[in-house]
Amino acid sequence: MGLEFYTSKLGDAVNWARKYSLFQYPFVTACCGMEFMALWGPKYDVARFGAEFPRFSPRQADLLIIVGTITERQGPVLRRVYEQMCEPKWTVAFGVCASTGGFYQNYSVMPGADQCIPIDVYIPGCPPRPEQVLDALQLLQDKIQKGEGYIQKRERAEHEAVKAGKLKVVG
Amino acid sequence: MSAAALERAKQILGTAVRSTHDKCGDETLVVDATTIRDTMKALRDDSELKMNFLVDLTCVDYLGNEPRFEVVYHLRSMTTGARLRVKAPLAEPADGSSPEIDSLVPLWRGANWFEREVFDMYGVKFRGHPDLRRILMYPEFVGYPMRKDYPKERRQPLVRRTPDEA
């Protein structure tokens, strides 16, 4: 498939399939986790969007949800979890701490998980309402469909570079 | 209950006690930091007091005051139910090195992690501690974040995104 992949209608079909079968890895560190659990319950029922099934190994997941405060000390761990995930992968920062550090402005808290890994969708709120999370999930699905996720954009840029002869495929 | 314990403590400690108060029912002794281990041992082993439980061990930085630090111990007797707070004022050495005080690990094993936390956050060194390492912050961390002169804006990241990921 290679170069034609993203330029053809096949790409659209693949992205359509991807957006309705997100396997999430919840990286839960703080109180946001409680709200995150509500999302899985029958009331908000995230299964309607094809993303109900959590994977407890990052290697089997393609959506990393960072739920809660990330400290500087957790940075290398989060980075490693992210790097273990197979591409294509997407990330969501759940809540204001994961997005910006929130109300923690001190020596220990990382000012936003995007300091150490790329984030596709940010959800504000302390904690966010489940409706906001469903909204964010739909936003992410739109992004995936349009190929605007960070990894998708990077992949496309690499393909363009190969096409233009700036980058060589080895091996 | 604790008022009687305070009286008894004053009696057995003698000159090691610098001052006492019982504001809001919090019976407090301010004691000499150099003999802290003997003082605490006396409180623990006294047949009347039996202050056998170290509830908490922490520290306060009174920047600008002399002495600058105060190590605070909270004791409770599981037998009588009395509580005592023991404070040990600790001056910062003139050369800016870490202040030192005797470790209480030989008296209470539970003091181990408390003292590591105080060392991590305030840089107080505990003489005779078996394993005085940082407990919450990472080993690469420089300085003591809970000291009042630690800059609020200072960050010491372990990992950041690479420039090509921006």
Side-chain angles (χ1 to χ4, degrees):
Chain A
M1 292 196 283
L3 295 178
E4 304 80 45
F5 188 86
Y6 282 104
T7 50
S8 69
K9 285 285 160 199
L10 180 60
D12 286 348
V14 170
N15 282 342
W16 176 84
R18 283 170 173 171
K19 75 173 182 180
Y20 288 122
S21 74
L22 288 168
F23 282 76
Q24 46 182 308
Y25 177 77
F27 191 87
V28 182
T29 59
C31 38
C32 268
M34 304 311 290
E35 208 71 11
F36 192 57
M37 289 167 205
L39 185 70
W40 277 328
K43 193 167 175 186
Y44 294 99
D45 197 9
V46 73
R48 291 175 292 163
F49 303 94
E52 81 279 21
F53 204 48
R55 284 293 180 177
F56 294 107
S57 161
R59 290 169 195 239
Q60 300 164 345
D62 55 7
L63 170 60
L64 178 64
I65 304 189
I66 300 145
V67 186
T69 323
I70 301 297
T71 58
E72 293 291 2
R73 197 175 180 173
Q74 277 170 331
V77 178
L78 179 62
R79 178 84 206 184
R80 187 163 177 176
V81 164
Y82 180 72
E83 281 171 358
Q84 281 186 51
M85 293 168 63
C86 295
E87 292 182 13
K89 56 192 171 186
W90 296 273
T91 48
V92 170
F94 183 109
V96 78
C97 287
S99 303
T100 68
F103 51 75
Y104 298 106
Q105 191 190 14
N106 60 22
Y107 59 92
S108 67
V109 174
M110 187 183 286
D114 57 357
Q115 298 282 321
C116 82
I117 59 168
I119 303 284
D120 289 311
V121 178
Y122 299 84
I123 311 173
C126 182
R129 295 281 310 157
E131 292 91 332
Q132 280 175 283
V133 187
L134 294 178
D135 197 30
L137 193 64
Q138 287 170 297
L139 202 65
L140 180 69
Q141 288 176 333
D142 284 350
K143 265 192 139 176
I144 295 172
Q145 181 67 70
K146 289 183 195 152
E148 285 175 356
Y150 171 82
I151 290 291
Q152 291 170 300
K153 277 200 276 193
R154 199 197 67 193
E155 233 171 30
R156 205 158 51 235
E158 279 170 6
H159 283 226
E160 293 298 321
V162 170
K163 227 168 31 180
K166 285 178 199 157
L167 203 67
K168 241 184 185 162
V169 181
V170 282
Chain B
M1 186 166 63
S2 299
L6 186 67
E7 283 310 310
R8 174 72 186 164
K10 271 201 277 189
Q11 217 174 55
I12 60 166
L13 295 177
T15 53
V17 180
R18 293 207 184 148
S19 64
T20 61
H21 73 74
D22 57 353
K23 287 193 192 95
C24 309
D26 288 339
E27 279 73 14
T28 304
L29 297 144
V30 181
V31 302
D32 191 3
T34 52
T35 55
I36 188 72
R37 197 182 289 163
D38 294 337
T39 302
M40 299 302 266
K41 193 172 184 338
L43 293 175
R44 185 189 70 171
D45 295 341
D46 183 65
S47 56
E48 262 184 55
L49 280 173
K50 296 193 185 106
M51 288 290 168
N52 48 12
F53 184 47
L54 180 69
V55 179
D56 198 9
L57 190 167
T58 184
C59 184
V60 187
D61 178 5
Y62 293 104
L63 184 64
N65 287 16
E66 197 54 50
R68 177 176 172 182
F69 295 100
E70 203 164 57
V71 183
V72 186
Y73 305 87
H74 290 246
L75 293 177
R76 179 172 161 84
S77 167
M78 290 302 216
T79 325
T80 69
R83 291 169 188 278
L84 281 182
R85 179 191 293 149
V86 181
K87 290 181 172 185
L90 201 56
E92 192 181 24
D95 60 357
S97 61
S98 291
E100 291 193 12
I101 191 167
D102 280 333
S103 168
L104 291 193
V105 176
L107 300 184
W108 287 282
R109 284 175 65 191
N112 188 322
W113 283 15
F114 287 147
E115 289 180 352
R116 278 178 66 187
E117 190 187 352
V118 170
F119 167 70
D120 193 357
M121 296 288 140
Y122 293 91
V124 174
K125 283 201 172 135
F126 290 88
R127 274 187 300 258
H129 190 287
D131 183 26
L132 197 62
R133 290 180 288 132
R134 288 188 180 276
I135 189 167
L136 293 168
M137 304 312 294
Y138 29 97
E140 296 88 343
F141 197 85
V142 179
Y144 304 106
M146 292 296 275
R147 284 191 178 189
K148 294 286 180 262
D149 54 2
Y150 185 88
K152 190 180 65 154
E153 305 294 331
R154 186 168 173 199
R155 297 287 183 280
Q156 301 188 36
L158 283 176
V159 61
R160 284 290 183 260
R161 285 166 74 171
T162 51
D164 61 295
E165 281 178 331

